Amino acid sequence: MQGVDVRKRARLPHWDCEHGVYFVTFNLFDAIPRDALLRTREEAEARVQHIRAVRGPLTVAEKRAIDDCIRVKTGEILDAVHGSCLMRDGRVALVVANAMTHFDDQRYRLLAWCVMPNHVHAVFTLAASHRVDRIVHSWKSFTAHRCNALLGREGDFWQNDYYDRLVRDARELRATIDYILANPAKAGLRDWPFVAAYPERL
């Protein structure tokens, strides 16, 4: 794959790919209960160890399948709407939505996004010379300060890391965007305004 750069932030690897389409998720500091996160990671590690014991190193397909399983289970935990859900307050959700759309068509091009009560999804492509980690850092840094001030609180607002995935093909892109658009209803949110897609950009 041409133009790929792999970086490591905290515990998760992150990929930068020229002309790549990214699916990014970042969560409020308390969106995922610690015991649920540990259990998901332990189950994934057990699968890895089992495959290694039986056949040796994992194939690319096996690694991807385990990553997909983690993503699905994490999504189920997020959709259960745990934690303080600070973005259930429309003022807070609007700050986050405005931050994400502010540099749209300049630093990145949004294809879909959703601000949920305890997490955020975005699908986008990068403009030349921009990186996923810097884009997400700018969203999180600006909104953490602004939202904490709005709520009269201090301390962590976001979970330290974020989840990013390179979308592989048109079929996966459609499925990802459908997932984002359905996220509010799946979590029981009616007439939730903080979600958008841009089909004309596909």
Side-chain angles (χ1 to χ4, degrees), residues 113-186:
W113 58 268
C114 182
V115 179
M116 294 289 288
N118 65 351
H119 66 281
V120 175
H121 294 304
V123 177
F124 58 93
T125 59
L126 292 173
S129 78
H130 290 280
R131 288 180 15 185
V132 173
D133 61 328
R134 292 175 182 167
I135 297 300
V136 177
H137 174 76
S138 70
W139 289 341
K140 292 173 67 178
S141 178
F142 174 82
T143 56
H145 289 94
R146 184 63 61 89
C147 292
N148 272 343
L150 184 63
L151 294 169
R153 69 183 297 276
E154 296 179 348
D156 292 336
F157 191 82
W158 300 110
Q159 183 181 337
N160 285 336
D161 216 329
Y162 63 91
Y163 301 86
D164 64 330
R165 176 183 176 84
L166 275 169
V167 178
R168 290 171 285 189
D169 52 36
R171 181 178 178 181
E172 183 177 331
L173 177 59
R174 292 284 184 182
T176 301
I177 291 174
D178 288 346
Y179 170 81
I180 289 174
L181 294 178
N183 214 199
K186 189 175 180 181

Side-chain angles (χ1 to χ4, degrees), residues 41-113:
R41 288 177 173 169
E42 287 170 358
E43 290 172 0
E45 183 60 26
R47 289 183 63 185
V48 168
Q49 295 304 325
H50 174 73
I51 293 170
R52 285 178 176 166
V54 172
R55 285 198 319 275
L58 278 69
T59 65
V60 171
E62 286 168 337
K63 290 178 181 177
R64 191 182 296 277
I66 291 172
D67 287 344
D68 286 345
C69 183
I70 293 172
R71 181 172 53 85
V72 168
K73 288 190 175 183
T74 302
E76 291 171 353
I77 295 168
L78 288 172
D79 290 343
V81 197
H82 293 284
S84 56
C85 294
L86 298 175
M87 290 178 293
R88 194 179 291 276
D89 183 327
R91 301 170 304 158
V92 178
L94 184 61
V95 168
V96 178
N98 286 342
M100 294 174 63
T101 57
H102 185 73
F103 288 109
D104 184 24
D105 248 352
Q106 298 177 52
R107 299 178 181 177
Y108 44 84
R109 189 169 175 81
L110 290 167
L111 301 179
W113 58 268

